[in-house]
Structure formats: structure tokens, C-alpha cells
Amino acid sequence: MSQSSITSRGIAPASVTVSVNWAKSILEYTTQHLDEQQAILQKAQLTHDDLFGDHANHTRLSMDQTVQLWGACIEYAQQPFFGLKFGAQIRPSAFHIVGYTLMNSATLKEALDRLNQYQRLISDGGIFQKVPCKQGLWLVYHQKPETLPFYHHQIDAVFSSLLSFARWTTGQEISPLEVSFNRAKPSDQSEYLRLFNVIPNYNQTFDGILISNKTLELPLLESDEELCDMHERHAKQRLEELEENRSVSAQVEHLIKHRLSTLRFSRPSIAKALNMSEKSLQRRLFEEGTNFQQRLDHVREQLACYYLSETTLSLADIAEQLGFTDNSAFYKAFKRWTGQNPGSYRKQLTHI
């Protein structure tokens, strides 16, 4: 596989949170014993109520809290393939409404199409970039950490749980065509080979898994259009509730995203839409460790990568969609974000 411009650099988001149910799954996989769970939680600077209290199902952990929990579980388990094995035993029901929505889709491709849309209900900690190629579809995972870097076990868990989902819902022993990791080659690859049935490529510029076109078209065993519609309505409602409780930074990003092409995304207009003064907006963003320009750049970068990889829009049209007054301003900004110009970025995507 030739290298592409895809990178797996972490993008610092405004507010990164994780479903308590996902955190509980990690802890309960590590141990079922209450006293041992208490010790792990204490090491992660969490309490039992944070995960199991009456309010827990209505709250979320920060990404940093989740990383600390991962670290405590990894240290306790002393398993070199902790993330792989954790992800491999995950079943769709562990993802609750998201899992039910995906498993009732008609095909694996449809399920993956819905994944990014509702993934936030599980975790804000990463997004999948879909990059089509001749053999099939690359699912490239972009981390979204807060201040603490991810453990490689977390990336392993993402891909092994994705593969477990595909195998469980299709009833077939699916294997990816390729797996790429943005890390050094480990001394022991036995578990990776056993799980993926291929030796991953290491020292790559991104974390990704390549699924064949034939596999994407496989029907799901639990496919049910009516149930899928019902679960999807519930998922959309949950997303709306999540949006209502999000940080000011996330609200700013949401408004920017929907106003870019209309050129109504200035700081004064966003402040007005949030019913606050510019000074108040600036202060609230500062309290969340960011500022307006950073949120604007973050939204533009994400949308630019999406338009370049998944649409046929011209570079001029993309610049317009992102609210740039001229093409050169877009080119300079994209070069600052990614280290290369948008034309090269798109061209190299086709050579994966």
C-alpha cells in the first residue's frame, strides 16, 4: 500500500466526553470483583458512583478520565493484548441504542454509514474517515484526545470491536484486506495475526482498516427496516439531548459548521446566536481552554478533509463552502493544518 496524506494526528476538540456505559464495559471486562473494581477506580481517580451511581446513566466521563481508567485497567490486567481482547468480546448490545441501530441496518455498508453519525453517543474520542479505493473502503480512525495521549490498546479496541461487530452481525468470519498502525512494530504479533488474519503494516502515517467491497455488501442477520427506523429516531433524540448539554465550545462549533457557507459565522454573530456578548463568549471559551479562532480552524479542517476525501467538489467550491473569501486563503490554511496543499491531499488519497 502506498503512503497517503492521511495522518492520525490527534485533533484537540472543544469538549471530549465518553458514555459511562462504555467505561463500565472496560472495567467489567477487567474484573467482576467489586473490591478490585474499587481499587482500579481509585487508581483512575474515579468513584464507584461515577460509573454505577443513580445519576451515572445521565452523565458522561471526560476523555481524560476515560484514558486514566484505561491506564488503571491495563496495569491491573497485565495483558499485552488487552485492547485487542477487550474489543473482540464486545457485542452490539454493549453500544446500546447505537448498536441496535447499526445491527438492524440492511448491509454492513449501511451500518458503517451510520457509525459516524451516532458514534458520539458512545464516545467523542475519535472519528472514522471513510476513504474509498479500488479494493474497498479504508476506515481511518482519527483520535480526538484531550490532554492525555491514548494508549495503543484503545486503538486496538476500536478496530477489534469493529471487526467483532462485522462478524457478529453478518455471521461470517470476516477478515480485513489490510490493517495499518501509526506505531512501531511490536515484538509479538501473534494476537494481531490471530484476530485480523493479516499481519498489520506498522510505522504508517495513520491507523486504519481496509474492508473489501464484497464484505461491505454483506447483509446483516438482524436486518429490520422498521426496527432500524425506530432505533434511529431514538438515537437522534439522544443526540439532541447531548447537544443541549454540550459545552459552549461545542455549541460554537455547531453554529459555525451550519453557517460557514452563508458567511454568517463571525464571532459577533455567533455570540448573538448564543444570547451572550462577545466578551462573555470570549471568556467562556477561555475557561474551556480554547478560543474562537481555534474552534473555527477545527471545524474548517474537519470539513475540508471530508470534502476532499468523500466528495467530488472542486477546490474552489470547497473554499466557498468553508467560508473563505478566495482560494489562496483556503490553500494557505490547509497547508498550515496538514503540511500540504489540498490538491496533493486529494490526489494522494486515490493512491491508497
Side-chain angles (χ1 to χ4, degrees), residues 13-298:
S15 178
V16 188
T17 60
V18 178
S19 164
V20 165
N21 289 321
W22 179 242
K24 284 162 65 174
S25 296
I26 301 164
L27 180 64
E28 290 172 344
Y29 169 75
T30 309
T31 177
Q32 295 289 328
H33 299 291
L34 183 60
D35 57 338
E36 293 171 341
Q37 288 184 356
Q38 294 280 25
I40 292 172
L41 288 170
Q42 185 176 4
K43 179 128 186 113
Q45 300 178 41
L46 293 167
T47 68
H48 190 269
D49 279 352
D50 287 332
L51 269 64
F52 299 96
D54 293 337
H55 67 287
N57 288 334
H58 304 288
T59 60
R60 290 165 69 89
L61 298 182
S62 73
M63 193 68 245
D64 278 354
Q65 288 176 313
T66 308
V67 171
Q68 289 174 186
L69 178 61
W70 268 99
C73 288
I74 292 164
E75 183 178 335
Y76 172 86
Q78 292 294 301
Q79 293 181 12
F81 303 109
F82 179 81
L84 280 179
K85 292 184 176 181
F86 164 66
Q89 56 83 47
I90 288 292
R91 296 293 175 260
S93 58
F95 301 118
H96 298 275
I97 190 62
V98 179
Y100 298 131
T101 304
L102 268 56
M103 68 189 291
N104 288 137
S105 299
T107 64
L108 184 59
K109 182 180 183 300
E110 284 190 17
L112 294 176
D113 286 341
R114 289 186 168 98
L115 179 60
N116 261 2
Q117 186 175 358
Y118 301 113
Q119 186 179 336
R120 277 200 66 207
L121 294 176
I122 304 169
S123 170
D124 290 322
I127 57 171
F128 282 104
Q129 179 186 3
K130 293 181 294 180
V131 185
C133 65
K134 290 181 180 179
Q135 305 101 307
L137 182 74
W138 273 101
L139 288 172
V140 178
Y141 185 71
H142 294 281
Q143 304 172 34
K144 294 173 62 179
E146 282 188 305
T147 63
L148 299 177
F150 280 18
Y151 291 93
H152 76 265
H153 296 280
Q154 292 176 257
I155 308 302
D156 288 350
V158 167
F159 290 118
S160 60
S161 62
L162 185 66
L163 192 56
S164 175
F165 170 85
R167 289 170 173 171
W168 182 265
T169 55
T170 63
Q172 299 197 31
E173 193 61 22
I174 291 168
S175 296
L177 297 177
E178 288 189 54
V179 178
S180 289
F181 286 128
N182 181 22
R183 74 179 78 143
K185 180 180 177 180
S187 57
D188 183 359
Q189 301 184 69
S190 58
E191 194 65 21
Y192 292 96
L193 178 58
R194 188 195 67 78
L195 177 68
F196 296 123
N197 290 322
V198 295
I199 295 288
N201 301 305
Y202 298 95
N203 297 306
Q204 304 299 299
T205 57
F206 63 93
D207 296 305
I209 186 169
L210 175 59
I211 301 175
S212 72
N213 289 315
K214 183 178 179 181
T215 297
L216 291 171
E217 296 305 323
L218 288 174
L220 303 192
L221 300 177
E222 300 294 328
S223 173
D224 187 313
E225 185 177 356
E226 187 175 341
L227 277 178
C228 187
D229 288 343
M230 181 186 74
H231 292 313
E232 193 161 25
R233 286 195 299 271
H234 187 192
K236 287 178 179 177
Q237 181 182 345
R238 292 287 303 278
L239 269 182
E240 290 173 2
E241 292 169 358
L242 192 58
E243 291 292 327
E244 290 174 1
N245 296 319
R246 63 197 166 154
S247 65
V248 171
S249 302
Q251 293 180 59
V252 167
E253 287 191 7
H254 179 76
L255 288 170
I256 288 174
K257 187 177 294 184
H258 288 84
R259 290 171 173 231
L260 275 175
S261 61
T262 67
L263 301 180
R264 295 184 298 109
F265 59 89
S266 66
R267 187 165 61 187
S269 66
I270 296 296
K272 184 177 180 180
L274 293 173
N275 295 314
M276 60 177 70
S277 67
E278 278 190 72
K279 267 190 174 180
S280 295
L281 175 59
Q282 190 172 354
R283 177 178 54 79
R284 293 288 296 277
L285 289 174
F286 178 78
E287 289 171 353
E288 294 177 9
T290 187
N291 59 49
F292 185 82
Q293 188 60 48
Q294 288 175 343
R295 296 339 316 151
L296 174 59
D297 282 346
H298 179 225

